[in-house]
Amino acid sequence: MLGKGRKVSGRGETVAANYAFGPAEDDIIIKHRLLTRTTTTRGEPPLKKLQRKFTSFVLEVEKDNDNYNDCAKLSKALLQELSTFEIPLLKSKAVIDANLREKENFNELKDEINRQILQAQTDIEDLKKQLEESKIERQHKEECEAFRKLISAQPPRSETQKSIAELEKEIAALETENTAGSRLLELRKKQFALLLHVVDELQNTIEEEQKSLIEEMRMVTEEQKTGLEDASGGSEPMTVD
């Protein structure tokens, strides 16, 4: 039995139809019908018609009467029916062969495309490596050029040592300042993490309260709707075919 789908009033939802066979079973049935040719949209199915003519011919042959003419007619009709039944089979075989050739061509094309893709990926990786090597080489050249210019622009050794001593003092001061800044930054990180944790817990609490409120509203709405449907006695019954 097939149950037709119906639309629930007031909610815009459609109840899914229940079928006697699933999609997989329908495919098996259709495939069986196409292979056996036991069904047709016009007239008697070809296979049944062929079976009927064959049965008539066999019954006529088994008679003891002098019925050679009838047997000849039935034999001719059976052969014609066999030829008629064979034509669609030959067409189907030609279509299957063409599909198989097309599938083979497609698989070959697919393999060629995959090979080209792999080759392109390999070429891309090689080019990436070459690009990285070129970047590193260029970086080394730029560093060497910068060092050369820097060395040529350096003042005498005495002035350099004096500058180094001043820089060491500045570095020590900066390290002290950096240590203090790191401690302050670590403190701020901990405070910020605590704030995020509190905000997260607050958000979870709000979401749980909202879900609880929505669930309560939904239950109240369903109770009201159930009461209305019970009062009206059901506005639209299930249609069963």
Side-chain angles (χ1 to χ4, degrees):
M1 182 185 296
L2 300 180
K4 296 182 180 179
R6 65 183 183 88
K7 190 172 184 181
V8 181
S9 176
R11 296 190 64 180
E13 297 178 355
T14 302
V15 179
N18 297 322
Y19 297 97
F21 301 103
E25 296 174 345
D26 288 341
D27 292 340
I28 295 174
I29 294 172
I30 293 172
K31 183 178 180 181
H32 177 72
R33 289 176 177 177
L34 291 174
L35 291 176
T36 59
R37 300 180 60 82
T38 55
T39 59
T40 180
T41 58
R42 297 180 181 178
E44 188 177 6
L47 188 58
K48 290 184 179 180
K49 188 175 181 182
L50 179 63
Q51 182 182 3
R52 181 174 56 80
K53 289 186 179 295
F54 177 75
T55 304
S56 300
F57 173 72
V58 172
L59 293 175
E60 191 67 27
V61 170
E62 290 178 351
K63 291 180 180 179
D64 296 332
N65 299 330
D66 186 8
N67 53 357
Y68 294 106
N69 293 330
D70 295 336
C71 291
K73 291 180 181 179
L74 292 174
S75 175
K76 185 178 179 180
L78 178 60
L79 292 176
Q80 290 178 352
E81 189 63 29
L82 282 172
S83 299
T84 304
F85 186 79
E86 186 181 11
I87 291 174
L89 296 180
L90 294 175
K91 291 182 179 179
S92 299
K93 185 177 184 303
V95 172
I96 291 172
D97 293 339
N99 289 335
L100 291 176
R101 290 193 299 270
E102 188 67 21
K103 183 180 179 181
E104 290 177 358
N105 294 333
F106 174 77
N107 290 332
E108 291 177 359
L109 180 60
K110 181 180 178 181
D111 294 338
E112 179 64 20
I113 292 174
N114 290 333
R115 187 189 64 78
Q116 293 178 1
I117 291 173
L118 292 176
Q119 183 62 37
Q121 290 177 349
T122 303
D123 295 340
I124 290 172
E125 293 298 328
D126 293 338
L127 292 175
K128 285 182 178 180
K129 292 180 181 179
Q130 294 178 7
L131 180 60
E132 291 297 328
E133 292 175 357
S134 299
K135 287 182 179 180
I136 294 173
E137 184 178 358
R138 180 179 179 182
Q139 183 180 1
H140 289 168
K141 290 181 179 180
E142 291 177 352
E143 290 176 354
C144 292
E145 182 65 20
F147 286 145
R148 186 188 65 80
K149 292 180 179 180
L150 182 61
I151 292 172
S152 62
Q154 288 300 319
R157 183 178 181 84
S158 58
E159 294 181 3
T160 302
Q161 291 178 348
K162 182 178 179 181
S163 300
I164 289 173
E166 293 177 356
L167 289 174
E168 288 177 350
K169 292 180 181 179
E170 293 180 1
I171 290 172
L174 290 173
E175 288 179 351
T176 303
E177 184 179 354
N178 185 27
T179 302
S182 298
R183 292 177 181 176
L184 180 61
L185 180 60
E186 187 66 24
L187 177 61
R188 293 292 183 266
K189 285 182 179 179
K190 292 180 180 179
Q191 292 176 349
F192 186 69
L194 178 60
L195 178 60
L196 289 178
H197 179 68
V198 173
V199 170
D200 190 21
E201 290 184 351
L202 181 60
Q203 184 177 2
N204 292 334
T205 304
I206 293 173
E207 289 179 355
E208 290 178 357
E209 291 179 354
Q210 289 178 350
K211 289 180 181 178
S212 177
L213 180 60
I214 291 172
E215 183 66 21
E216 291 178 0
M217 293 175 66
R218 186 182 65 79
M219 292 177 63
V220 171
T221 303
E222 289 182 355
E223 291 177 357
Q224 292 177 355
K225 183 177 179 181
T226 304
L228 292 175
E229 289 180 353
D230 293 339
S232 61
S235 61
E236 187 176 1
M238 171 72 77
T239 303
V240 180
D241 188 357

